[in-house]
């Protein structure tokens, strides 16, 4: 979507119907078949962001898991599969929220919903409410920070760090079988997405 790409690369100020019409080589009036106004276009971008990024974290954290290792791997799927979580869009919306209090409210609600999902994931695996809350926040904020810093590393490097990460996030021994299953899926996704 051209509007998403413009938001990510140039910021919300450049998401303009006239500019997008020129980029797409379509008449400005064509946009009005889909959006009544620029405000509608921006609302649609926020809806896409909420449906994609927040929903994937909530859904992955709710997936059945035999243990906390497998549950954490479900959470990590959001961030190794570029189809699930759009990190560029997430940070573009966060940047937008610095100038728009209504968008800030949406960011705060999304973060609350996402962290709540991670807390519930930990609680389902026997963690106390307090411990689940602390671990969920460490995991979630670390993951967002990882992407905010634009850490560039190969899938091999990322997966080589997975076992100590899972041990650190869970405070428990790691289920090596669940970890190896996740690594296999992550490498397969990386190979598929590089084509």
């Amino acid at each position: 979507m051209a509007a998403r790409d413009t938001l990510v690369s140039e910021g919300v100020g450049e998401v303009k119907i006239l500019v997008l019409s020129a980029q797409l080589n379509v008449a400005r009036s064509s946009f009005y078949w889909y959006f009544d106004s620029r405000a509608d276009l921006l609302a649609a971008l926020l809806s896409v962001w909420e449906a994609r990024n927040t929903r994937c974290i909530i859904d992955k954290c709710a997936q059945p898991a035999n243990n906390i290792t497998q549950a954490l791997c479900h959470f990590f799927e959001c961030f190794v599969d570029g189809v699930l979580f759009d990190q560029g869009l997430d940070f573009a919306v966060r940047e937008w929220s610095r100038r728009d209090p209504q968008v800030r409210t949406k960011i705060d609600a999304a973060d609350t919903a996402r962290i709540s999902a991670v807390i519930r994931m930990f609680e389902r695996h026997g963690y106390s409410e307090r411990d689940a809350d602390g671990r969920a926040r460490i995991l979630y904020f670390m993951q967002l920070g990882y992407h905010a810093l634009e850490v560039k590393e190969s899938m091999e490097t990322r997966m080589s760090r997975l076992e100590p990460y899972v041990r650190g996030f869970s405070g428990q021994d790691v289920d090596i079988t669940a970890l190896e299953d996740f690594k296999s899926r992550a490498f397969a996704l990386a190979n598929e997405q590089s084509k």
Side-chain angles (χ1 to χ4, degrees):
M1 165 186 239
R4 176 261 179 222
D5 294 343
T6 301
L7 176 64
V8 170
S9 64
E10 299 176 42
V12 70
E14 294 304 311
V15 181
K16 300 174 184 172
I17 291 176
L18 186 60
V19 173
L20 293 170
S21 298
Q23 283 179 356
L24 297 170
N25 200 25
V26 297
R28 183 177 174 183
S29 59
S30 297
F31 260 88
Y32 294 106
W33 283 101
Y34 302 100
F35 305 102
D36 290 336
S37 64
R38 178 175 184 262
D40 278 354
L41 173 60
L42 295 176
L45 279 169
L46 284 174
S47 292
V48 167
W49 164 75
E50 287 175 308
R52 183 173 179 180
N53 286 7
T54 299
R55 178 55 38 205
C56 87
I57 290 174
I58 291 169
D59 289 350
K60 287 296 180 181
C61 286
Q63 274 189 299
N66 296 327
N67 52 49
I68 193 61
T69 298
Q70 192 175 53
L72 287 167
C73 288
H74 291 324
F75 172 83
F76 290 136
E77 284 176 35
C78 296
F79 305 99
V80 297
D81 186 346
V83 172
L84 296 177
F85 187 90
D86 186 336
Q87 78 180 44
L89 181 59
D90 210 63
F91 287 99
V93 172
R94 287 178 189 281
E95 182 62 30
W96 177 8
S97 78
R98 293 179 180 177
R99 292 165 196 78
D100 187 325
Q102 291 177 330
V103 177
R104 180 74 239 180
T105 299
K106 289 186 176 288
I107 285 282
D108 292 342
D111 285 338
T112 297
R114 294 171 186 185
I115 291 168
S116 293
V118 182
I119 290 169
R120 289 189 302 272
M121 177 187 77
F122 277 107
E123 287 176 338
R124 280 193 305 278
H125 292 280
Y127 292 82
S128 70
E129 182 180 335
R130 183 172 184 230
D131 199 23
D133 180 78
R135 289 179 187 281
R137 289 173 191 282
I138 291 167
L139 175 63
Y140 180 70
F141 294 133
M142 183 285 304
Q143 190 63 56
L144 287 188
Y146 197 87
H147 291 293
L149 294 172
E150 297 180 356
V151 174
K152 303 289 185 212
E153 58 189 14
S154 68
M155 188 59 72
E156 289 80 12
T157 300
R158 285 178 85 179
M159 292 301 109
S160 73
R161 296 181 172 135
L162 190 59
E163 184 177 344
Y165 280 171
V166 170
R167 187 176 295 109
F169 293 133
S170 69
Q172 296 182 10
D173 289 336
V174 175
D175 176 348
I176 297 299
T177 302
L179 218 58
E180 292 304 320
D181 288 346
F182 173 72
K183 286 181 182 180
S184 294
R185 288 193 313 277
F187 284 124
L189 276 169
N191 288 335
E192 186 179 304
Q193 291 172 1
S194 68
K195 292 179 183 178

